[in-house]
Amino acid sequence: MAQIRIENVRKEFGAFTAVQSSSFTIEDGEFFMLLGPSGCGKTTTLRTMAGLELPTSGNIYIDGEEVGQKPASQRDIAFVFQMFALYPHMKVGQNIAYPLRSQGMSRVETKRKVDEVAQILGIQDILKKPVGGLSGGDRQRVALGRAIVRDPKAFFMDEPLGALDAEFREHMSEELRALHDRMGATTVYVTHDQLEAMQMGDKIVVMNHGVVEQFGVPQDIYDWPATMFCASFIGSPSMNFLTFDGMVGTGADTVTVGETQIQMPTLRDGAKGALALGVRPEHVRFDDSSGYRGEVIATEYLGTTQIVTLDSAHGMIKARIPSTDVVRVGERLGLHFDARTITIFDTERGTALRSAGNEGVLSHG
């Protein structure tokens, strides 16, 4: 397996820039997620790392070797596509064995490795079946088997579960993560599903419009988003923003929104102008003594919890509270925010101000 390092990689298609000077490192054995909406550049980044596209500029290192201008065949990686890409005229075992046969491996050794991979994936009973009659989940296992059998330096996966239904997708994501843990493989995985990324990834790169917005472990990205895009893209419901014009100085530990003073982590950066206070729905509580108030306009029952939507003077607020708490549409409630979790954003740049909470966590390109 291998460490993968990306340094200032840029990819242009004519006048269109798909990836803008991306830099990050994937450590040996990590399950690494490239996350973002459609068209953000995540698949282009993956294809550039794999050698299916060559970068316009920048460097790509796999296991310490610069491979940026080398074709995919010289990078020793295995690629798993969303649409399986299996050979329909071959049986399951033949599909898995194909890469080994292409390399001239002996029949005996090929059979041994195919049987070993089939056992890992739990598909021993379908090795002699044609792929045409398989379920989507079994086809994906076969595609994974064909990648695993080569024992490459890294696995690259482009939304491999995208064609599966929701229930089976969740099951397969658990299997994929368990398989990764057993093999200790370096895996790079593209997805637009933030829940999938949070559940499966050791590290996440969040991309938007070809730019790396943030890079880090899932909890840091969720708790301390570097940009307003990350704050709104990750989380369901997403982070609340209370927008206001004002000034906060370096060292401040309170901010005034309207006429209400709200506590926050001590700021390392000051700013003035158009600002926003960001807070996650689970960190909003109702408190009659609070001077900041909102009117309940909707409730959404989710079993053990409920989402309450309130209209306030500086923006809509969603609160995640126990479903046993009784609130009624039309009520005006005092709102309390957990001071330890608040992030202040410069809305003109869309970036978070450094604070005692997020210092050392923020990483955006």
Side-chain angles (χ1 to χ4, degrees), residues 85-235:
L86 301 176
Y87 300 113
H89 62 288
M90 294 182 181
K91 294 180 180 179
V92 168
Q94 293 172 319
N95 264 278
I96 296 174
Y98 186 80
L100 303 181
R101 292 172 56 196
S102 299
Q103 295 171 1
M105 185 175 287
S106 70
R107 183 172 296 182
V108 172
E109 182 64 10
T110 296
K111 184 179 185 306
R112 184 190 69 78
K113 290 185 72 70
V114 169
D115 289 343
E116 180 183 316
V117 167
Q119 184 174 4
I120 290 172
L121 295 171
I123 55 175
Q124 305 97 311
D125 57 329
I126 64 170
L127 285 177
K128 295 183 178 180
K129 290 185 177 181
V131 297
L134 299 180
S135 67
D138 282 340
R139 289 189 185 194
Q140 193 56 271
R141 287 189 181 93
V142 177
L144 287 168
R146 196 171 61 188
I148 292 168
V149 78
R150 286 185 47 238
D151 193 23
K153 288 182 178 179
F155 297 100
F156 290 176
M157 302 186 183
D158 188 5
E159 305 211 41
L161 308 183
L164 305 180
D165 61 65
E167 182 178 355
F168 201 74
R169 180 174 179 146
E170 182 176 353
H171 173 68
M172 280 299 296
S173 68
E174 293 172 358
E175 284 197 6
L176 262 180
R177 179 67 219 208
L179 176 65
H180 167 85
D181 291 341
R182 287 199 302 272
M183 297 182 65
T186 302
T187 302
V188 187
Y189 187 109
V190 164
T191 183
H192 65 273
D193 186 329
Q194 50 105 358
L195 290 177
E196 193 171 75
M198 298 289 286
Q199 290 167 354
M200 297 173 66
D202 295 316
K203 297 270 184 64
I204 299 174
V205 154
V206 183
M207 296 189 69
N208 187 36
H209 298 307
V211 175
V212 173
E213 296 262 339
Q214 191 168 2
F215 164 50
V217 300
Q219 184 173 358
D220 285 347
I221 291 176
Y222 181 83
D223 289 344
W224 303 111
T227 66
M228 294 182 75
F229 171 80
C230 291
S232 58
F233 188 74
I234 294 178

Side-chain angles (χ1 to χ4, degrees), residues 323-339:
S323 57
T324 51
D325 291 0
V326 178
V327 294
R328 297 178 178 82
V329 172
E331 278 188 281
R332 285 191 60 80
L333 302 174
L335 301 172
H336 173 77
F337 311 123
D338 187 337

Side-chain angles (χ1 to χ4, degrees), residues 28 36 69 101 112 121-122 130 176 206 209 274-275 289 310 317-318 340 347 352 361:
D28 183 22
Q69 297 302 315
R101 292 172 56 196
R112 184 190 69 78
L121 295 171
L176 262 180
V206 183
H209 298 307
L275 304 174
S289 66
L310 305 99
I317 296 176
K318 290 184 181 290
R340 298 167 297 177
T347 63
V361 170

Side-chain angles (χ1 to χ4, degrees), residues 244-261:
F244 61 99
D245 288 322
M247 181 178 72
V248 288
T250 300
D253 59 6
T254 62
V255 63
T256 301
V257 179
E259 298 179 354
T260 306
Q261 197 172 66

